[in-house]
């Protein structure tokens, strides 16, 4: 199983951000996306995830194999940690939530409502959701925001375990996750769209 991106161009509103992006990620591998803020990392990940249309190029991967985690934690504030994870496990039709709880050492938080968690705890819960999706391709946008050093280490271990099980990940981050040879880095600055490539939304009517 592979994720292949070929000659991909992406837009945010009418602005052409990236052009000609290409890479391939195979089972057991991670790709780390780098580049300055505003370059288009989030837009690229959302395009790969199918949350916005491809402008040009192609994304090839098995259907319903990817899960996207963005800047929002995606938790229900009135549900407990346990109930949040059970909800997502039911959505994706997976089983036990024990591995997700263990990944971020959340046993002591299991019965606490999501709305009562700190920012870092909410982030840990949001990332733990990945463990109950059962999907092998993780698309992650700045996942370590609000995490302390210990939690960043736990997250790195979670990613490493996912790769060991044959999963793959594309991660926009400036943090070293300790993945070693299993991770390659791609600087997206080389794919920044030239000014003359800016898209005119009215061009179809000219």
């Amino acid at each position: 199983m592979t994720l292949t991106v070929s000659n991909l161009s992406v837009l945010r509103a009418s602005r052409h951000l990236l052009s000609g992006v290409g890479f391939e990620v195979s089972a057991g591998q991670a790709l780390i996306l780098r580049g300055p803020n505003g370059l288009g990392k989030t837009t690229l990940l959302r395009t790969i995830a199918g949350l916005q249309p491809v402008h040009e190029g192609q994304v090839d991967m098995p259907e319903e194999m990817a899960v996207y985690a963005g800047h929002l934690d995606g938790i229900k504030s009135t549900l407990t940690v346990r109930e949040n994870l059970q909800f997502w496990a039911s959505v994706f039709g997976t089983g036990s939530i024990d591995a997700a709880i263990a990944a971020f050492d959340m046993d002591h938080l299991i019965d606490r409502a999501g709305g009562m968690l700190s920012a870092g705890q909410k982030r840990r819960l949001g990332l733990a959701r990945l463990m109950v999706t059962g999907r092998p391709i993780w698309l992650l946008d700045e996942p370590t925001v609000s995490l302390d050093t210990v939690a960043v280490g736990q997250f790195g271990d979670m990613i490493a375990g996912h790769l060991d099980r044959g999963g793959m990940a594309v991660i926009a981050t400036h943090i070293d996750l300790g993945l070693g040879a299993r991770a390659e880095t791609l600087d997206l600055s080389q794919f920044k769209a030239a000014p003359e490539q800016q898209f005119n939304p009215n061009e179809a009517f000219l």
Side-chain angles (χ1 to χ4, degrees):
M1 179 175 60
T2 60
L3 162 62
T4 304
V5 171
S6 307
N7 198 33
L8 190 66
S9 295
V10 300
L11 304 177
R12 182 170 61 231
S14 62
R15 186 183 175 200
H16 197 161
L17 298 177
L18 298 170
S19 180
V21 180
F23 59 79
E24 182 174 288
V25 186
S26 300
Q29 295 181 332
L31 181 69
I32 307 300
L33 302 180
R34 295 278 168 80
N37 292 339
L39 180 65
K41 299 186 297 294
T42 295
T43 303
L44 175 62
L45 286 169
R46 288 178 55 82
T47 301
I48 295 171
L51 299 175
Q52 60 186 67
V54 171
H55 177 55
E56 291 178 346
Q58 192 167 340
V59 176
D60 293 306
M61 62 180 169
E63 291 186 8
E64 297 186 357
M65 288 288 110
V67 60
Y68 169 77
H71 296 161
L72 300 179
D73 297 316
I75 65 175
K76 307 274 187 186
S77 61
T78 58
L79 299 182
T80 65
V81 168
R82 184 199 311 273
E83 291 167 339
N84 267 281
L85 290 172
Q86 288 174 335
F87 169 78
W88 286 108
S90 67
V91 168
F92 286 95
T94 56
S96 172
I97 65 171
D98 292 346
I101 294 295
F104 284 105
D105 192 23
M106 294 188 294
D107 287 326
H108 63 295
L109 300 173
I110 194 73
D111 293 317
R112 187 174 300 181
M116 299 300 293
L117 300 175
S118 70
Q121 290 168 339
K122 288 178 180 178
R123 194 61 170 170
R124 286 157 59 193
L125 175 56
L127 293 173
R129 278 188 309 137
L130 297 167
M131 299 284 290
V132 303
T133 65
R135 296 196 169 183
I137 303 174
W138 292 358
L139 306 172
L140 311 178
D141 188 11
E142 300 292 350
T144 61
V145 171
S146 298
L147 296 184
D148 59 22
T149 302
V150 171
V152 169
Q154 292 170 331
F155 174 69
D157 291 342
M158 186 180 81
I159 293 293
H162 179 62
L163 301 181
D164 288 343
R165 293 187 294 273
M168 62 186 75
V170 181
I171 311 170
T173 183
H174 295 283
I175 302 296
D176 182 2
L177 297 174
L179 300 176
R182 288 175 290 189
E184 294 187 359
T185 299
L186 180 64
D187 188 344
L188 293 177
S189 298
Q190 62 186 301
F191 302 110
K192 183 177 180 179
E196 60 269 21
Q197 290 180 294
Q198 298 306 313
F199 175 65
N200 180 356
N202 297 317
E203 64 184 4
F205 303 99
L206 298 179

PDB file of all heavy atoms in Angstrom, residues 151-170:
ATOM      1  N   ALA A 151       4.782  14.576  26.584  1.00  0.00           N
ATOM      2  CA  ALA A 151       3.733  14.197  25.640  1.00  0.00           C
ATOM      3  C   ALA A 151       4.260  14.123  24.207  1.00  0.00           C
ATOM      4  O   ALA A 151       3.814  13.283  23.418  1.00  0.00           O
ATOM      5  CB  ALA A 151       2.564  15.175  25.729  1.00  0.00           C
ATOM      6  N   VAL A 152       5.206  15.002  23.855  1.00  0.00           N
ATOM      7  CA  VAL A 152       5.825  14.921  22.525  1.00  0.00           C
ATOM      8  C   VAL A 152       6.533  13.578  22.370  1.00  0.00           C
ATOM      9  O   VAL A 152       6.447  12.925  21.322  1.00  0.00           O
ATOM     10  CB  VAL A 152       6.815  16.080  22.297  1.00  0.00           C
ATOM     11  CG1 VAL A 152       7.645  15.843  21.032  1.00  0.00           C
ATOM     12  CG2 VAL A 152       6.060  17.398  22.174  1.00  0.00           C
ATOM     13  N   GLY A 153       7.227  13.140  23.419  1.00  0.00           N
ATOM     14  CA  GLY A 153       7.869  11.831  23.386  1.00  0.00           C
ATOM     15  C   GLY A 153       6.874  10.707  23.237  1.00  0.00           C
ATOM     16  O   GLY A 153       7.103   9.745  22.485  1.00  0.00           O
ATOM     17  N   GLN A 154       5.746  10.807  23.953  1.00  0.00           N
ATOM     18  CA  GLN A 154       4.700   9.790  23.833  1.00  0.00           C
ATOM     19  C   GLN A 154       4.123   9.763  22.420  1.00  0.00           C
ATOM     20  O   GLN A 154       3.866   8.691  21.862  1.00  0.00           O
ATOM     21  CB  GLN A 154       3.594  10.071  24.852  1.00  0.00           C
ATOM     22  CG  GLN A 154       4.023   9.878  26.294  1.00  0.00           C
ATOM     23  CD  GLN A 154       2.986  10.399  27.280  1.00  0.00           C
ATOM     24  OE1 GLN A 154       2.234  11.337  26.990  1.00  0.00           O
ATOM     25  NE2 GLN A 154       2.938   9.796  28.465  1.00  0.00           N
ATOM     26  N   PHE A 155       3.947  10.946  21.852  1.00  0.00           N
ATOM     27  CA  PHE A 155       3.431  11.020  20.488  1.00  0.00           C
ATOM     28  C   PHE A 155       4.414  10.391  19.504  1.00  0.00           C
ATOM     29  O   PHE A 155       4.018   9.643  18.601  1.00  0.00           O
ATOM     30  CB  PHE A 155       3.158  12.473  20.104  1.00  0.00           C
ATOM     31  CG  PHE A 155       2.759  12.653  18.675  1.00  0.00           C
ATOM     32  CD1 PHE A 155       1.542  12.189  18.213  1.00  0.00           C
ATOM     33  CD2 PHE A 155       3.619  13.275  17.780  1.00  0.00           C
ATOM     34  CE1 PHE A 155       1.171  12.341  16.874  1.00  0.00           C
ATOM     35  CE2 PHE A 155       3.256  13.438  16.454  1.00  0.00           C
ATOM     36  CZ  PHE A 155       2.038  12.963  16.000  1.00  0.00           C
ATOM     37  N   GLY A 156       5.710  10.686  19.681  1.00  0.00           N
ATOM     38  CA  GLY A 156       6.711  10.066  18.824  1.00  0.00           C
ATOM     39  C   GLY A 156       6.678   8.551  18.913  1.00  0.00           C
ATOM     40  O   GLY A 156       6.776   7.852  17.899  1.00  0.00           O
ATOM     41  N   ASP A 157       6.506   8.038  20.131  1.00  0.00           N
ATOM     42  CA  ASP A 157       6.401   6.588  20.322  1.00  0.00           C
ATOM     43  C   ASP A 157       5.149   6.043  19.642  1.00  0.00           C
ATOM     44  O   ASP A 157       5.172   4.937  19.075  1.00  0.00           O
ATOM     45  CB  ASP A 157       6.364   6.250  21.812  1.00  0.00           C
ATOM     46  CG  ASP A 157       7.697   6.507  22.508  1.00  0.00           C
ATOM     47  OD1 ASP A 157       8.720   6.608  21.805  1.00  0.00           O
ATOM     48  OD2 ASP A 157       7.701   6.612  23.753  1.00  0.00           O
ATOM     49  N   MET A 158       4.054   6.802  19.709  1.00  0.00           N
ATOM     50  CA  MET A 158       2.811   6.366  19.072  1.00  0.00           C
ATOM     51  C   MET A 158       2.983   6.272  17.557  1.00  0.00           C
ATOM     52  O   MET A 158       2.542   5.312  16.923  1.00  0.00           O
ATOM     53  CB  MET A 158       1.675   7.321  19.422  1.00  0.00           C
ATOM     54  CG  MET A 158       0.303   6.859  18.927  1.00  0.00           C
ATOM     55  SD  MET A 158      -1.030   8.011  19.368  1.00  0.00           S
ATOM     56  CE  MET A 158      -0.838   9.233  18.074  1.00  0.00           C
ATOM     57  N   ILE A 159       3.642   7.282  16.970  1.00  0.00           N
ATOM     58  CA  ILE A 159       3.891   7.261  15.529  1.00  0.00           C
ATOM     59  C   ILE A 159       4.798   6.089  15.169  1.00  0.00           C
ATOM     60  O   ILE A 159       4.547   5.364  14.194  1.00  0.00           O
ATOM     61  CB  ILE A 159       4.523   8.587  15.064  1.00  0.00           C
ATOM     62  CG1 ILE A 159       3.532   9.738  15.222  1.00  0.00           C
ATOM     63  CG2 ILE A 159       4.989   8.486  13.611  1.00  0.00           C
ATOM     64  CD1 ILE A 159       2.341   9.659  14.298  1.00  0.00           C
ATOM     65  N   ALA A 160       5.854   5.880  15.950  1.00  0.00           N
ATOM     66  CA  ALA A 160       6.770   4.772  15.682  1.00  0.00           C
ATOM     67  C   ALA A 160       6.041   3.433  15.726  1.00  0.00           C
ATOM     68  O   ALA A 160       6.261   2.562  14.869  1.00  0.00           O
ATOM     69  CB  ALA A 160       7.918   4.791  16.689  1.00  0.00           C
ATOM     70  N   GLY A 161       5.166   3.256  16.706  1.00  0.00           N
ATOM     71  CA  GLY A 161       4.385   2.021  16.787  1.00  0.00           C
ATOM     72  C   GLY A 161       3.468   1.845  15.589  1.00  0.00           C
ATOM     73  O   GLY A 161       3.295   0.729  15.079  1.00  0.00           O
ATOM     74  N   HIS A 162       2.874   2.941  15.154  1.00  0.00           N
ATOM     75  CA  HIS A 162       1.999   2.906  13.976  1.00  0.00           C
ATOM     76  C   HIS A 162       2.787   2.467  12.739  1.00  0.00           C
ATOM     77  O   HIS A 162       2.318   1.630  11.961  1.00  0.00           O
ATOM     78  CB  HIS A 162       1.391   4.294  13.761  1.00  0.00           C
ATOM     79  CG  HIS A 162       0.502   4.407  12.572  1.00  0.00           C
ATOM     80  ND1 HIS A 162      -0.661   3.691  12.431  1.00  0.00           N
ATOM     81  CD2 HIS A 162       0.624   5.169  11.433  1.00  0.00           C
ATOM     82  CE1 HIS A 162      -1.241   4.004  11.276  1.00  0.00           C
ATOM     83  NE2 HIS A 162      -0.472   4.885  10.658  1.00  0.00           N
ATOM     84  N   LEU A 163       3.992   2.997  12.573  1.00  0.00           N
ATOM     85  CA  LEU A 163       4.825   2.603  11.440  1.00  0.00           C
ATOM     86  C   LEU A 163       5.244   1.141  11.553  1.00  0.00           C
ATOM     87  O   LEU A 163       5.269   0.418  10.544  1.00  0.00           O
ATOM     88  CB  LEU A 163       6.059   3.507  11.359  1.00  0.00           C
ATOM     89  CG  LEU A 163       5.812   5.007  11.207  1.00  0.00           C
ATOM     90  CD1 LEU A 163       7.146   5.751  11.109  1.00  0.00           C
ATOM     91  CD2 LEU A 163       4.941   5.318   9.994  1.00  0.00           C
ATOM     92  N   ASP A 164       5.552   0.698  12.766  1.00  0.00           N
ATOM     93  CA  ASP A 164       5.947  -0.693  12.979  1.00  0.00           C
ATOM     94  C   ASP A 164       4.832  -1.658  12.586  1.00  0.00           C
ATOM     95  O   ASP A 164       5.106  -2.795  12.177  1.00  0.00           O
ATOM     96  CB  ASP A 164       6.325  -0.933  14.447  1.00  0.00           C
ATOM     97  CG  ASP A 164       7.651  -0.284  14.825  1.00  0.00           C
ATOM     98  OD1 ASP A 164       8.426   0.057  13.909  1.00  0.00           O
ATOM     99  OD2 ASP A 164       7.890  -0.111  16.040  1.00  0.00           O
ATOM    100  N   ARG A 165       3.594  -1.201  12.707  1.00  0.00           N
ATOM    101  CA  ARG A 165       2.448  -2.048  12.345  1.00  0.00           C
ATOM    102  C   ARG A 165       2.090  -1.934  10.866  1.00  0.00           C
ATOM    103  O   ARG A 165       1.049  -2.443  10.442  1.00  0.00           O
ATOM    104  CB  ARG A 165       1.238  -1.673  13.221  1.00  0.00           C
ATOM    105  CG  ARG A 165       1.416  -2.009  14.701  1.00  0.00           C
ATOM    106  CD  ARG A 165       0.134  -1.769  15.486  1.00  0.00           C
ATOM    107  NE  ARG A 165      -0.227  -0.358  15.542  1.00  0.00           N
ATOM    108  CZ  ARG A 165       0.213   0.499  16.454  1.00  0.00           C
ATOM    109  NH1 ARG A 165       1.065   0.095  17.384  1.00  0.00           N
ATOM    110  NH2 ARG A 165      -0.170   1.756  16.446  1.00  0.00           N
ATOM    111  N   GLY A 166       2.924  -1.250  10.093  1.00  0.00           N
ATOM    112  CA  GLY A 166       2.682  -1.131   8.661  1.00  0.00           C
ATOM    113  C   GLY A 166       1.916   0.101   8.261  1.00  0.00           C
ATOM    114  O   GLY A 166       1.527   0.241   7.097  1.00  0.00           O
ATOM    115  N   GLY A 167       1.697   1.019   9.201  1.00  0.00           N
ATOM    116  CA  GLY A 167       1.023   2.266   8.880  1.00  0.00           C
ATOM    117  C   GLY A 167       1.971   3.247   8.233  1.00  0.00           C
ATOM    118  O   GLY A 167       3.169   2.975   8.051  1.00  0.00           O
ATOM    119  N   MET A 168       1.440   4.409   7.882  1.00  0.00           N
ATOM    120  CA  MET A 168       2.250   5.474   7.312  1.00  0.00           C
ATOM    121  C   MET A 168       1.709   6.814   7.798  1.00  0.00           C
ATOM    122  O   MET A 168       0.563   6.893   8.247  1.00  0.00           O
ATOM    123  CB  MET A 168       2.268   5.403   5.776  1.00  0.00           C
ATOM    124  CG  MET A 168       0.922   5.569   5.121  1.00  0.00           C
ATOM    125  SD  MET A 168       0.988   5.301   3.308  1.00  0.00           S
ATOM    126  CE  MET A 168       1.140   3.518   3.235  1.00  0.00           C
ATOM    127  N   ALA A 169       2.533   7.847   7.690  1.00  0.00           N
ATOM    128  CA  ALA A 169       2.120   9.159   8.186  1.00  0.00           C
ATOM    129  C   ALA A 169       2.762  10.254   7.349  1.00  0.00           C
ATOM    130  O   ALA A 169       3.904  10.127   6.923  1.00  0.00           O
ATOM    131  CB  ALA A 169       2.509   9.322   9.656  1.00  0.00           C
ATOM    132  N   VAL A 170       1.995  11.313   7.117  1.00  0.00           N
ATOM    133  CA  VAL A 170       2.509  12.545   6.522  1.00  0.00           C
ATOM    134  C   VAL A 170       2.254  13.620   7.562  1.00  0.00           C
ATOM    135  O   VAL A 170       1.100  13.866   7.947  1.00  0.00           O
ATOM    136  CB  VAL A 170       1.809  12.877   5.196  1.00  0.00           C
ATOM    137  CG1 VAL A 170       2.394  14.160   4.600  1.00  0.00           C
ATOM    138  CG2 VAL A 170       1.948  11.722   4.207  1.00  0.00           C
TER     139      VAL A 170
END
